Amino acid sequence: MKLFYHHPVVPFCRKIRFMLFECGEDISSIEVAPWVRDKEVLKLNPSGELPVLVLENNKAICGHYAITEYLKDVLPSMALMGKTPEEGAEIRRLCSWFDNKFYKEVYLNLVGEKLYKRVASLGSPDTRLLKIGRENILIHMAYINWLMERRKWIGGNSLSVADFSAAAYLSLTDYIAEVPWEAYPEAKNWYAKIKSRPSFKKILAEKISDIDPPDYYKDPDF
Amino acid sequence: MKLFYHHPVVPFCRKIRFMLFECGEDISSIEVAPWVRDKEVLKLNPSGELPVLVLENNKAICGHYAITEYLKDVLPSMALMGKTPEEGAEIRRLCSWFDNKFYKEVYLNLVGEKLYKRVASLGSPDTRLLKIGRENILIHMAYINWLMERRKWIGGNSLSVADFSAAAYLSLTDYIAEVPWEAYPEAKNWYAKIKSRPSFKKILAEKISDIDPPDYYKDPDF
């Protein structure tokens, strides 16, 4: 693997970077603004979407779905999609939960309004949408907490892509101090474990544009 | 495999049914309205979303992402995701193209307005959105035609899940006579091949609610 085109505010990119770092792939990353049609990205991916992973043979693996499954295929020793087809199905169900449900109900309303708009100079947040996002996140936190009362990791009893997905969305929401951790102790314990992983520390150390996260953002003992 | 919860107007469901039929899995299907929160579906899939595949051991495989990859794992002889990780990446790139790009740019504006709204009794189509959908589909048809000038099937040189995805979206758009086939001969040739497959004929034989498709909808020599 050679190059990774991404942007830190795009959750699909953050999930893959966590996965790459966790697999020990210390690739070069190129930050691209997702709100412009970047010519270099368009040459690699006809849809123009991030992320794009360029291999040593210059072939491009386009989009988080293709990249996730490609990494699963070429790095099978990691078992990041579980050990059986049924374990894989549970992990992928939760990836979809975050990439579709959390994305629409929480990410767009909170991170989209407070962080993405600011980074892309798209104006100030819509307070009506912030209110909706703050209501919606409670249901998601309750669900994550419920899961973590029953299992060791988000997708089952071992670390998986479901954890990378969940961590991508929650860390972006945490960057703007919008995760109500205190009411959800099991969710918080899980995230403390995630934060202490060297692979994820690299991601938490990065600043998004000129915006500072809250002090506790990087702290595993938050 | 035991039961498949789906609705014929949902492209994610149509794609999986095509895949199941193509793999010779003649499962029982239960039609569920996607615009209500169905209690039976919610018990199987916490997100409440279709499709859901119930296995012989009563475990539920939830959502089109998990089901697609599960079927790929348990029916590997089909090679529906290509033969190498790189072939798989190209097939999945195109699945994302349809499930994200075609879905937002064409499906929601044309099928969403003309078919889904009617089936769900949600009022009459927004003519402004129909106009946007009719402009957008031209770009997609040109891209499919361009691909089919260069390869035998959508995802490469063998039939794959990319064909099932493309066929799911195009057949729903064709149900409301909104695909401009004549200007795109290579796309039309590909779709004629798809229409002549026994697995897909089963899907084309189904009526959606009380709405009739155009006469040529089922005809492989359209």
Side-chain angles (χ1 to χ4, degrees), chain A residues 42 91-92 112 143 162 182 211 221:
Chain A
L42 269 170
I91 290 163
R92 291 185 181 95
Y143 185 55
E182 295 314 319
I211 302 155
D221 305 312

Side-chain angles (χ1 to χ4, degrees), chain B residues 2 9 25 38 67 70 74 77 121 131:
Chain B
K2 205 175 160 186
V9 87
E25 297 285 332
D38 185 271
I67 298 172
Y70 176 83
V74 298
S77 61
S121 305
K131 192 167 171 280

Side-chain angles (χ1 to χ4, degrees), chain A:
Chain A
M1 284 155 229
K2 205 174 158 186
L3 263 180
F4 188 63
Y5 290 80
H6 80 114
H7 192 278
V9 86
V10 177
F12 315 117
C13 299
R14 188 168 273 240
K15 167 175 75 175
I16 302 289
R17 289 185 88 216
F18 189 3
M19 191 168 173
L20 285 165
F21 292 158
E22 192 65 35
C23 297
E25 297 285 333
D26 206 1
I27 45 130
S28 304
S29 294
I30 298 183
E31 207 175 300
V32 183
W35 51 90
V36 295
R37 284 180 71 76
D38 185 90
K39 279 189 187 159
E40 211 175 322
V41 172
L42 269 170
K43 260 192 238 167
L44 297 165
N45 184 3
S47 80
E49 284 164 359
L50 296 173
V52 177
L53 176 67
V54 182
L55 305 179
E56 295 293 350
N57 64 6
N58 288 323
K59 284 205 180 156
I61 311 292
C62 303
H64 70 105
Y65 171 37
I67 298 172
T68 300
E69 298 297 329
Y70 177 82
L71 293 176
K72 181 238 169 197
D73 284 347
V74 299
L75 306 165
S77 61
M78 299 298 296
L80 295 177
M81 281 295 185
K83 283 174 185 154
T84 66
E86 285 187 22
E87 282 178 20
E90 174 64 358
I91 290 163
R92 291 185 181 95
R93 174 183 78 79
L94 285 155
C95 290
S96 296
W97 179 283
F98 287 98
D99 285 332
N100 297 312
K101 205 168 165 64
F102 193 101
Y103 179 80
K104 276 183 238 162
E105 294 173 359
V106 180
Y107 174 85
L108 288 180
N109 292 316
L110 293 179
V111 185
E113 290 299 312
K114 273 180 83 170
L115 192 58
Y116 189 104
K117 268 187 166 177
R118 192 164 151 198
V119 176
S121 304
L122 292 171
S124 43
D126 181 332
T127 52
R128 200 182 48 89
L129 295 180
L130 291 179
K131 192 167 170 280
I132 293 170
R134 283 171 188 146
E135 278 166 21
N136 288 344
I137 198 173
L138 303 180
I139 298 154
H140 285 271
M141 292 307 292
Y143 185 55
I144 297 165
N145 204 69
W146 182 89
L147 283 175
M148 298 319 296
E149 281 167 0
R150 284 155 181 82
R151 45 177 77 170
K152 224 175 132 191
W153 298 95
I154 295 284
N157 284 320
S158 58
L159 182 78
S160 76
V161 184
D163 295 285
F164 306 156
S165 291
Y169 285 92
L170 285 165
S171 63
L172 281 167
T173 317
D174 205 36
Y175 203 96
I176 48 167
E178 291 284 356
V179 184
W181 293 112
E182 295 314 319
Y184 307 97
E186 294 304 324
K188 190 180 171 183
N189 280 346
W190 160 79
Y191 193 57
K193 277 196 296 183
I194 292 288
K195 277 172 122 175
S196 66
R197 297 188 81 82
S199 57
F200 201 61
K201 278 187 182 166
K202 281 203 226 176
I203 291 170
L204 295 180
E206 296 168 349
K207 195 168 163 177
I208 299 178
S209 190
D210 61 343
I211 302 155
D212 284 312
D215 288 340
Y216 64 83
Y217 172 75
K218 296 173 209 174
D219 179 7
D221 305 312
F222 64 128

